[in-house]
Amino acid sequence: MTEKRLYGTVLLKAKKILDFISNLETAPTLKEISTGVEISKPTVLKILQTLEYCGFVRSVGTEKQYYLGSIFIKYGDKTTKSFDISNIAMPFLNELRDKTTEAVNLGILENNQIILLNRAKSSNSIRFDLELGGSMNMYSSAMGKALLSTYSEEQLNHYLDQTALTPLTKNTLTNREDLLKELTQIKQQGYAVDNIENQDGIYCIGFPLIKNDHIFGAFSISAPVFRVDNDKVKEWIELGMETQKKILACF
């Protein structure tokens, strides 16, 4: 059988790179991709930069590791199912929603932002500005701060050096030192709070999903601030930490 002549060798190389990334358990570096696909580093880098610009891959960390991009979520239900974190986490997050009766969000990290991957909707009334596939800042969101608290000093400084701390509400932390102080506390306690910092009227508690130094994502419990009190916050933190352990035990 004669091999079909295909147009666009760069496209074929890009597919080879995407296939390589998707088949690994951990996100590869540029060097690992170049070795794995047997294409020179300069060529792989140029293709990755284009793929990242288009949203097909995302890079994380100072020594960049490459993940598939969230743009695939928008291509249909079949693609959504390829995000194992959603398949694994959502049964537990649905259970958490049932126990708290509040909305529970699942996010992933992409280009220094949190992408809303999935949501267990609350049966109570609540208005969110963010739809599935939308993004939010790390410094102002509970999920984002939960992940930032796990960063090394070098990673954190790199993030802050290239991020403008723009206020979204009157409670948004816009002072670098104040944010660093809060992240230290978050690291100690294991969860983050967004007290009307990302969206007016919304209170969130966020938990990181990290195992063996691999960032899978984060989740948060969200509620209108008028439905929040100290007893509920204490209960939600306990339930959130239990849920976090259950999810991470599956990896």
Side-chain angles (χ1 to χ4, degrees):
M1 179 178 178
T2 304
E3 184 176 345
K4 183 184 294 185
R5 294 180 62 85
L6 300 176
Y7 176 78
T9 57
V10 174
L11 288 175
L12 296 176
K13 291 178 180 178
K15 181 184 182 301
K16 193 173 184 180
I17 290 171
L18 290 172
D19 288 343
F20 180 79
I21 294 173
S22 67
N23 288 330
L24 294 181
E25 293 184 2
T26 58
T29 62
L30 170 61
K31 181 179 179 180
E32 291 170 337
I33 295 172
S34 175
T35 301
V37 300
E38 298 181 337
I39 301 173
S40 69
K41 284 176 64 176
T43 299
V44 170
L45 179 59
K46 289 177 182 179
I47 294 173
L48 284 171
Q49 289 172 336
T50 303
L51 289 172
E52 189 166 12
Y53 174 81
C54 295
F56 292 115
V57 300
R58 54 194 173 95
S59 59
V60 176
T62 52
E63 183 181 357
K64 290 187 176 181
Q65 292 177 283
Y66 290 89
Y67 299 79
L68 293 182
S70 64
I71 195 171
F72 289 110
I73 301 171
K74 301 175 183 179
Y75 289 171
D77 291 339
K78 289 185 178 180
T79 304
T80 302
K81 293 176 182 178
S82 72
F83 285 80
D84 289 342
I85 181 63
S86 184
N87 292 336
I88 292 171
M90 286 314 297
F92 299 107
L93 298 187
N94 285 329
E95 181 181 348
L96 179 60
R97 183 270 319 277
D98 293 341
K99 291 180 178 179
T100 62
T101 72
E102 300 295 351
V104 179
N105 311 294
L106 176 65
I108 57 173
L109 178 61
E110 180 174 319
N111 297 328
N112 286 333
Q113 290 189 311
I114 298 297
I115 305 298
L116 183 60
L117 182 64
N118 212 330
R119 172 182 286 149
K121 295 182 179 180
S122 170
S123 57
N124 296 317
S125 175
I126 184 171
R127 179 187 65 81
F128 287 112
D129 291 341
L130 193 66
E131 300 295 332
L132 295 185
S135 63
M136 68 185 89
N137 295 312
M138 295 185 74
Y139 67 86
S140 61
S141 64
M143 288 190 284
K145 289 192 290 183
L147 292 180
L148 281 177
S149 72
T150 69
Y151 277 25
S152 67
E153 182 178 355
E154 181 183 3
Q155 289 173 319
L156 193 53
N157 285 329
H158 179 73
Y159 168 79
L160 291 172
D161 287 343
Q162 61 182 3
T163 303
L165 303 180
T166 304
L168 300 178
T169 73
K170 65 179 182 179
N171 289 352
T172 306
L173 291 178
T174 57
N175 179 277
R176 182 170 178 149
E177 294 305 315
D178 290 342
L179 179 59
L180 288 171
K181 183 178 180 180
E182 180 170 337
L183 292 176
T184 298
Q185 180 181 348
I186 293 169
K187 186 174 184 177
Q188 293 172 347
Q189 63 194 21
Y191 63 88
V193 170
D194 156 17
N195 187 8
I196 323 177
E197 298 166 50
N198 195 67
Q199 179 182 337
D200 280 325
I202 301 297
Y203 183 100
C204 300
I205 305 174
F207 305 85
L209 292 173
I210 300 177
K211 189 171 184 178
N212 299 327
D213 295 325
H214 178 82
I215 297 176
F216 292 98
F219 68 92
S220 66
I221 304 167
S222 299
V225 69
F226 66 81
R227 283 208 297 263
V228 179
D229 58 43
N230 290 335
D231 289 338
K232 283 187 177 180
V233 168
K234 183 178 179 180
E235 178 186 9
W236 293 348
I237 291 170
E238 292 176 355
L239 291 172
M241 287 185 164
E242 290 175 5
T243 301
Q244 180 190 50
K245 291 178 181 178
K246 291 177 182 178
I247 295 172
L248 292 178
C250 297
F251 291 102

